DNA sequence: GATTTATTGAAAAATACTTTCATTAAGGGG
DNA sequence: CCCCTTAATGAAAGTATTTTTCAATAAATC
């Protein structure tokens, strides 16, 4: 919490009551929270907090690397056609073209290692890579 | 396209004009499409197609593994607090608790391998794992 | 071709997120 | 410590996205 405030300061942002309340809510949570849930919890500290500020603050915290957007597998945006079995995508950030690739051994190694260290059993995953395709690298994006 | 229709049939779903139009649109696209973009393109084949059907059909195709939801890094749902630097999350599907983990060597290997094979330059990625935490494994989810 | 029933599309509702702008308050300078 | 500048906030309204409901339609089976 103090560390988050320090990050704000160092990056030239002000330390405000809403920002403190939101940080508190996020740090206390044991599960991912929706923007609305963040609002509800943070209002315990700061009664008149509004949802707009929650969105703005979440963006800010994400930018500072303090928060990470979790895609809860429901209700999101783009779609690409895939060959069944090839479940991962590498997207060009400039032209949007994508390449698919299969899970692959390295990911399995990572998963196995993680299962051993955390005791979790991994059942599914979301892996998407973003970068530049050969054409766009040439042009210079 | 024929293969997609075969998948539908085999799974006991009907082959309909809207489903054909939407498959066409997705297979022709070189970039991820939003639901609305799918609608616009598929209407070329099927004038009176509605957005509702697009959403339903996308869900269906996703279920059949023909389409994959791409999270375009904007406008999504949940948030968790993270320690800066630790950019990945392993989420329990039952209780929602999460563990963070750092990128790690195996992922770097996978990325390096992919860059070599595709010519893409990878600049960012989204990796999220879903499974069961030790407690929930015990309970049996 | 008739029948059954999955599928569709329109309308409306619910949800999610953004923009605008007048007001407030953080924090540096005096 | 108070003033002043300006970043930050919150309310309202707007836009985008997705879901629900239900009567009408059209696949596939007989």
């Amino acid at each position: 919490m103090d560390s988050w405030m320090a990050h704000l300061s160092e990056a030239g942002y002000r330390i405000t009551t809403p920002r403190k309340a939101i940080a508190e809510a996020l740090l206390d949570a044991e599960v991912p929270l929706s923007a609305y849930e963040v609002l509800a919890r943070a209002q315990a500290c700061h009664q008149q907090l509004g949802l707009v500020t929650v969105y703005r603050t979440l963006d800010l915290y994400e930018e500072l690397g303090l928060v990470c957007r979790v895609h809860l597998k429901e209700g999101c945006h783009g779609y690409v056609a895939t060959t069944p079995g090839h479940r991962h995508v590498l997207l060009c950030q400039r032209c949007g073209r994508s390449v698919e690739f299969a899970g692959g051994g390295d990911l399995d190694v990572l998963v196995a290692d993680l299962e051993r260290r955390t005791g979790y059993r991994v059942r599914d995953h979301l892996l998407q890579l973003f970068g530049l395709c050969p054409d766009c690298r040439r042009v210079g994006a």
Side-chain angles (χ1 to χ4, degrees), chain A residues 25-91:
Chain A
L26 288 165
L27 289 165
D28 284 353
E30 355 55 64
V31 296
L33 303 178
S34 68
Y36 191 82
E37 290 168 331
V38 171
L39 174 70
R41 298 196 185 196
Q43 279 181 330
C45 299
H46 184 56
Q47 186 62 58
Q48 75 264 36
L49 179 66
L51 192 54
V52 194
T53 301
V54 173
Y55 279 112
R56 278 190 292 232
T57 306
L58 287 172
D59 283 350
L60 178 59
Y61 286 164
E62 193 187 15
E63 188 187 309
L64 295 175
L66 300 173
V67 135
C68 140
R69 269 185 141 107
V70 173
H71 300 273
L72 298 172
K73 318 207 79 190
E74 292 303 328
C76 272
H77 291 324
Y79 300 84
V80 251
T82 55
T83 317
H86 286 228
R87 325 211 72 262
H88 304 100
V89 183
L90 167 53
L91 279 165

